[in-house]
Every structure is written in C-alpha cells, then in structure tokens.
Amino acid sequence: MIPITTVHFGKAEEDLVLEVLRSGSIAQGPKVAQFENRFAELFGVSHAVAVNNGTTALVAALQVLDLQPGDEVITSPFTFVATLNAILQTGATATFADIHADDFNVDSASVAARITDRTKVLLPVHLYGQMADMGPLETLAADNDLRIVEDAAQSHGATYRGRYAGSYGLGTFSFYATKNITTGEGGMITTNDAVLADRLRVLRNQGMRARYAYEMAGNNYRLTDLQAALGIPQLERYATIVKARQHNAERLIEGLADIPGIITPRQLDQREHVWHQFTIRVTEDAHVGRDEFVQGLAERGVGSGVYYPKLVFDYDAFRSHTRVKQSEVPVAAQIVREVVSLPVHTALSDADITEIVSAVRAVVGA
Ligand SMILES: *Cc1c(COP(=O)(O)O)cnc(C)c1O
C-alpha cells in the first residue's frame, strides 16, 4: 500500500531530542525560542510565536484582536473544522465566502459580498499548500478596516507574489503529524506587528509578563522544547522537502493529463505551491463516482483521502448554531463532492508515482 501520508525523522531529530532529554529542561525553553527564530527568518516575518497546536494558534490570533460578541469573521467553507471551532471559541460569528475552483481558496468577490458593518476579520485558508488570492483580500481589508488572519496550517513556506504565507497580518501554522513540518502536535503564529507578537507571548503563558504578573486573562498554549527539537531540523531541510513534493506533483500532473473526468491541480501564476496535498477533482465525466474511485484506488494499493467531504458548516452541530451563518456557496458545494487527494509526500519513489498514475487510469478506465 502506498500511504497518503508518512512521517520521516532523521538522525538530526534524534540527536536534538536526546540533547533536550538529557538537558533536564523539557518544557518551553531555549529550543522553542530557536524554533521560533528560525521559522521567522525562513518564512520572511519579524515574529513567530510557538503554541501547542494549529487550532490554538488560530484561537490565540483571534483573541489578541479583541473580538467582541457579534463581530463577524469571514472564512472559507472548504476547510478543516478547526478553522470554524477557533472562531466560535472566541465568541465571534462565522460567515462563509465561496471559493475558486482553480485554487480551492476563498473568492475575493464573494468575500466582498459578505462584508457587513459587524465584520472584523478576513480569515482566508491557504488550502493544500497554495495561498489564497491575497492581493484583492488585502485591498478589501484596507478599505474596510479589517484584520487579516491567515490559516496557513497546510502552507508553510508558500508564497504569493513573492510574499510568504503568514505575512499579511497574523498567520497561523500547524505541526500536526500529517503536516509538511511536524512536531506531533504543535503550532506557530506569525506577524510583522511587534505589539501583537508581544501580546501573543503573554497570552500563551497564562497572561503572565513575569511570574504572577498577570496582564490579561490567558491560557496555557505553550509548546515544549522536546517538540521544538523535532521541528528545528525539518526547518533546516525544508527546501529539500518542498522540492521533493514539487517534483512529485509535477510527475503526477504529467501522468494524469488528459483523462476524461479527472481535473489535476495546478500552481497558479505568481504563487509557489508547497503541495501539502495533491488534490484532483473526479467530475461527472469520469463515469465512476468519487467513492467508487477511492475504493478502486485502495484495491490497487494506493491510499487516498477526501479533504473535505462536506462544507464545514453543513453538519447538525453547526446548522443549529446561532453564530454559524449558513451561506450560499455553490462552487464549494460542488467541489466537496469531487475532491480526492493522492499521495505526494517525500517518501514516494518515481516507481510509486508510476503506480499511482496506473491505478488512477485503471479505475476510471482510461
Ligand atoms: C491541521 C489544520 C488546522 C489545525 O491544526 P491542529 O494542529 O491539528 O490543531 C487548522 N486548519 C487547517 C486548514 C488544518 O489543515
């Protein structure tokens, strides 16, 4: 079986974890600081604040913006539930813009149409490793006095017109086990705003500036040095990780060209895609349903995943939620029925890719 995702740690991670174990200081300490500094340096931002996961990264980012009940956050309906859960946890109301079929990210025209006088934050999600169309979103934010929080959980190091994900306001990242960089669990918040970075550091540590000096109601969002020790070596070889993913994506795009009913993903102009997922669309023309397609691949030894099978607000738990605005999003509603992600991870050989391509062709009869 070719799995949809793998984890790979090298000797550098083993050595650094051992160093932390033997140092006797395993909670948040110097390794977390090193991880933050390296992350900020590598991904073109002034400040990076490490937290314990990508969901709390979103919660903390929204909390330091002082959202009040009734304030609205506009996000994508085509995302992991963490994006919505974080908005709800801060007491704000979630509304949803439709997406583009070519990058699976929010459509700025639809975002513009959702702005009301209660809107405070635009929260684009950079899905699968490619950034949303940030140019028009940045203009909308400036014109309407809104803050930008980017959910970049899947897009470490992705760029838009040469600018990194996480550099438009507040950016949040995840280091969950399946992400391009992983510490098992972990997260990061990035910003060029020194005041917000400072507030985030206080917030994540029980609102304490110094011991027992409380400046705000806080929480424990801290990452540990053991986790940072896993992350640091991956930052050092991240360029290689991304190159391997890009190589695999290019080979898959070539191999899967011109199959009726299969639409391959692409990197849009002036964006660097870091290929967290390689997500194709299985359309009506495929003569095979999406679920049948996934099962056919499994029978041929190819793992795949459906991210995500439904619109994030289209669940009973949210349908009756007073702070979740059920929204008309026809493009996203179509896309959730069509997407399938194929393996694109760094452990794939060229032979694996040939096998994935053959399996897809066999299942759709091409
Ligand atoms: C993984 C993910 C998150 C949450 O990250 P965790 O580290 O799992 O809490 C948030 N948003 C998106 C789009 C994700 O893929």
Side-chain angles (χ1 to χ4, degrees):
M1 190 81 182
I2 302 173
I4 180 71
T5 178
T6 59
V7 284
H8 171 77
F9 296 121
K11 179 136 182 4
E13 285 90 329
E14 289 180 12
D15 288 349
L16 212 56
V17 168
L18 264 182
E19 183 190 316
V20 172
L21 278 180
R22 289 170 179 160
S23 76
S25 142
I26 57 168
Q28 182 186 302
K31 288 288 181 274
V32 168
Q34 191 186 335
F35 188 39
E36 292 176 333
N37 292 338
R38 200 67 188 101
F39 195 93
E41 188 175 47
L42 209 54
F43 300 135
V45 288
S46 317
H47 310 278
V49 180
V51 292
N52 53 353
N53 61 62
T55 308
T56 52
L58 279 165
V59 171
L62 292 168
Q63 283 175 335
V64 292
L65 296 179
D66 282 332
L67 291 180
Q68 304 298 317
D71 288 348
E72 294 174 5
V73 178
I74 302 175
T75 192
S76 173
F78 189 49
T79 184
F80 183 51
V81 71
T83 317
L84 175 53
N85 281 335
I87 294 169
L88 294 177
Q89 195 176 330
T90 62
T93 295
T95 80
F96 302 90
D98 208 352
I99 62 171
H100 284 293
D102 55 0
D103 65 2
F104 305 106
N105 293 322
V106 283
D107 175 344
S108 56
S110 178
V111 171
R114 298 289 194 270
I115 295 175
T116 71
D117 48 12
R118 301 309 309 261
T119 306
K120 288 285 151 49
V121 175
L122 303 184
L123 203 172
V125 180
H126 304 318
L127 206 68
Y128 302 148
Q130 180 159 240
M131 286 177 69
D133 191 10
M134 292 306 291
L137 292 179
E138 198 177 28
T139 306
L140 278 178
D143 292 351
N144 295 281
D145 195 20
L146 309 175
R147 310 301 291 247
I148 291 178
V149 175
E150 303 166 69
D151 183 343
Q154 305 188 1
S155 292
H156 319 71
T159 61
Y160 174 93
R161 295 182 192 157
R163 246 172 98 180
Y164 279 103
S167 67
Y168 284 81
L170 287 159
T172 69
F173 296 83
S174 167
F175 306 119
Y176 180 64
T178 57
K179 302 287 156 81
N180 280 17
I181 298 170
T182 180
T183 60
E185 299 276 6
M188 193 74 83
I189 307 151
T190 55
T191 185
N192 290 318
D193 184 323
V195 174
L196 289 179
D198 178 69
R199 295 195 69 195
L200 285 165
R201 290 182 193 286
V202 173
L203 174 67
R204 81 167 158 192
N205 189 29
Q206 306 288 7
M208 290 193 292
R209 166 87 46 200
R211 185 179 292 185
Y212 310 135
Y214 308 116
E215 285 190 2
M216 62 174 89
N219 208 317
N220 174 358
Y221 294 142
R222 295 184 304 263
L223 191 75
T224 69
D225 269 19
L226 272 174
Q227 292 166 307
L230 282 179
I232 291 164
Q234 292 172 74
L235 291 181
E236 298 311 327
R237 59 186 162 78
Y238 192 58
T240 316
I241 293 172
V242 169
K243 272 208 185 70
R245 287 179 174 273
Q246 287 170 343
H247 169 84
N248 294 340
E250 281 159 25
R251 294 281 324 272
L252 287 167
I253 287 168
E254 277 164 34
L256 299 174
D258 305 320
I259 303 178
I262 299 290
I263 300 174
T264 52
R266 61 196 184 96
Q267 172 176 280
L268 299 186
D269 253 13
Q270 304 207 64
R271 295 186 220 186
E272 183 169 8
H273 199 318
V274 296
W275 297 103
H276 172 60
Q277 298 291 353
F278 182 92
T279 304
I280 61 172
R281 293 167 56 196
V282 180
T283 70
E284 280 176 358
D285 303 336
H287 306 302
V288 55
R290 194 254 311 268
D291 295 346
E292 245 178 298
F293 178 82
V294 166
Q295 198 188 326
L297 287 182
E299 283 161 10
R300 288 166 178 78
V302 173
S304 63
V306 173
Y307 316 113
Y308 297 90
K310 288 171 72 153
L311 300 171
V312 74
F313 58 74
D314 187 20
Y315 290 85
D316 286 342
F318 298 126
R319 217 168 280 121
S320 54
H321 199 296
T322 53
R323 290 188 286 112
V324 177
K325 284 209 174 158
Q326 300 291 315
S327 312
E328 275 296 306
V329 288
V331 178
Q334 174 73 25
I335 292 290
V336 292
R337 294 201 293 267
E338 299 178 341
V339 286
V340 178
S341 298
L342 302 174
V344 72
H345 53 77
T346 57
L348 294 177
S349 64
D350 282 353
D352 290 333
I353 293 187
T354 306
E355 213 173 304
I356 295 166
V357 168
S358 313
V360 171
R361 287 187 174 273
V363 173
V364 298

